[in-house]
Amino acid sequence: MFNFFKKKQAESIREVESHIFSDDLCRKAICSNALFQNPSLFLDMKLTDENRDEFLENNFLNLRYTGGTEWYWNKQKNQFIPAMKEALQIGYDIVDKLSYKATFDSFAEGGLTHAWDIIRMVGITQDAYTTSYIDLSLAQEKIAFLGKKLSENYTSWEEIATDFIKGKLEFNDLKELEGQDIKIFADIENILVMVDFLFNDKDTPLKKTLFEEDEDLAQTGENILGPIVSVSQRARNMMKVYKKVYGWEPFILINENIDNERDENTYRFVKEKLELQPSEEIIFMHVYTHKKPEKSEVQLILTNQHIISFLVEEKRYIYIPLEEIHESSLAIRGYAKELFINEYKMIDCFCINSEEEISSYLEIVYDLVVFVRNKEE
């Protein structure tokens, strides 16, 4: 009996072919599903040892769900695939090829004129293929159909993202009226953070599928989110993802409230010592807190105008304006791991969870600097 169940389980986790789209409309369709993906995927890209172009292809233009590196997929697929099957069944009553077709037809009957529905159907098709409910030819046919729908209804990524967010908010309202707990559905904050990553990050897959050569993704991101969320809060939300995924405990994120008393005491102590401009907001502090705030170890502070650090020996804060920071500005040198910005020593001994994460950390800090600086100008 046990061998029977093992055999059935093995059959349900069979591998599907990796398929990278070359057709532009298909690439746009499959890439659009990135709006629905967890923003932590961008963090995996920044820490991966693999080629980033390959990572983009595998995770944003691949019909088969990958969710990280190929190694990670192979290690985790026994958990991914059952979870995807459960989500398809709970969300759409999809358990096989016939039920997938029925769901697709019900979406298509509505005309598939809204990004919210088109992109959801792209994700459903991707998951149905990854779980082997449908074969490659059917999946390709449906993605091509969805890509054509995107091209018929939209002329830019701005239009797609705007309509997608609108559809998500309407969907939430409908589910609340039906008495459902919307927490079980994709989180709107994750979607908004993903929009910032997709339209602002240098590694965005959208660059590979532009509607027009001169499409300004950064301006698009500002058009979509600028009226909704402040630049500083958007940067905090992005850093919140980094902290959550990688457990970077030294970070104090400044929101309406700080749930850790030691962090809050340190934040208030340091803020009083800083010489901030009237319009200057603290986005995050990288600081090892102590029960006595004056003994807390300040590593780095990012505001919407400066990077700030504290030199212990000189007992003074150092301020570097964001506009003076460029790609090669940040460097870690020496056995003591001293941090330099524009050749100025900023930290005597730089600390993070592990040495392997330092380069990724510096890249993430610089990406946030670029994001905040460009939006504040």
Side-chain angles (χ1 to χ4, degrees), residues 196-359:
D196 260 330
F197 282 142
L198 288 172
F199 287 96
N200 292 287
D201 195 281
K202 62 183 179 300
D203 293 313
T204 175
L206 299 190
K207 289 181 180 178
K208 295 179 176 290
T209 58
L210 294 175
F211 281 80
E212 300 289 343
E213 284 187 16
D214 60 350
E215 193 171 1
D216 189 340
L217 293 176
Q219 184 58 51
T220 290
E222 187 60 24
N223 293 344
I224 296 170
L225 296 182
I228 305 173
V229 192
S230 71
V231 172
S232 296
Q233 188 57 51
R234 286 158 66 186
R236 292 186 195 106
N237 290 342
M238 294 163 79
M239 199 65 198
K240 181 179 178 181
V241 179
Y242 293 130
K243 176 178 179 178
K244 179 179 178 182
V245 172
Y246 292 114
W248 285 348
E249 293 304 328
F251 293 97
I252 301 176
L253 294 167
I254 314 306
N255 294 306
E256 292 180 359
N257 52 57
I258 305 171
D259 57 11
N260 183 295
E261 184 178 357
R262 180 182 289 188
D263 285 357
E264 184 171 4
N265 290 339
T266 297
Y267 165 66
R268 295 186 185 283
F269 174 82
V270 173
K271 186 177 180 181
E272 289 175 0
K273 299 293 183 183
L274 294 175
E275 298 176 2
L276 301 180
Q277 301 297 319
S279 61
E280 195 163 5
E281 294 181 60
I282 297 173
I283 293 171
F284 75 84
M285 291 182 176
H286 175 182
V287 53
Y288 291 84
T289 58
H290 189 277
K291 60 183 179 181
K292 295 181 179 180
E294 64 274 14
K295 293 187 177 182
S296 294
E297 183 182 343
V298 176
Q299 295 271 293
L300 207 63
I301 300 167
L302 176 66
T303 77
N304 60 340
Q305 297 183 29
H306 295 91
I307 279 184
I308 306 168
S309 72
F310 182 73
L311 279 179
V312 177
E313 292 179 359
E314 300 178 23
K315 291 184 171 57
R316 67 184 180 97
Y317 290 95
I318 302 176
Y319 300 75
I320 303 290
L322 297 188
E323 62 266 21
E324 294 181 9
I325 298 173
H326 47 82
E327 192 167 3
S328 59
S329 289
L330 288 80
I332 301 290
R333 297 177 185 163
Y335 178 77
K337 298 292 184 291
E338 296 172 328
L339 174 66
F340 288 80
I341 300 181
N342 292 341
E343 303 303 320
Y344 292 102
K345 186 168 75 169
M346 301 286 285
I347 298 174
D348 295 310
C349 183
F350 182 81
C351 299
I352 201 168
N353 292 353
S354 68
E355 284 191 28
E356 290 74 19
E357 294 180 352
I358 288 178
S359 61

Side-chain angles (χ1 to χ4, degrees), residues 24-32 35 115 118-119 146-161 199 205-217 220:
D24 181 63
L25 291 183
C26 290
R27 287 164 72 90
K28 280 183 169 60
I30 202 72
C31 186
S32 71
L35 287 163
I118 296 172
I119 293 172
L146 295 166
K148 187 171 183 292
K149 284 293 180 181
L150 284 176
S151 71
E152 291 172 349
N153 290 293
Y154 305 99
T155 60
S156 69
W157 281 112
E158 179 175 357
E159 292 180 3
I160 290 174
F199 287 96
L206 299 190
K207 289 181 180 178
K208 295 179 176 290
T209 58
L210 294 175
F211 281 80
E212 300 289 343
E213 284 187 16
D214 60 350
E215 193 171 1
D216 189 340
L217 293 176
T220 290

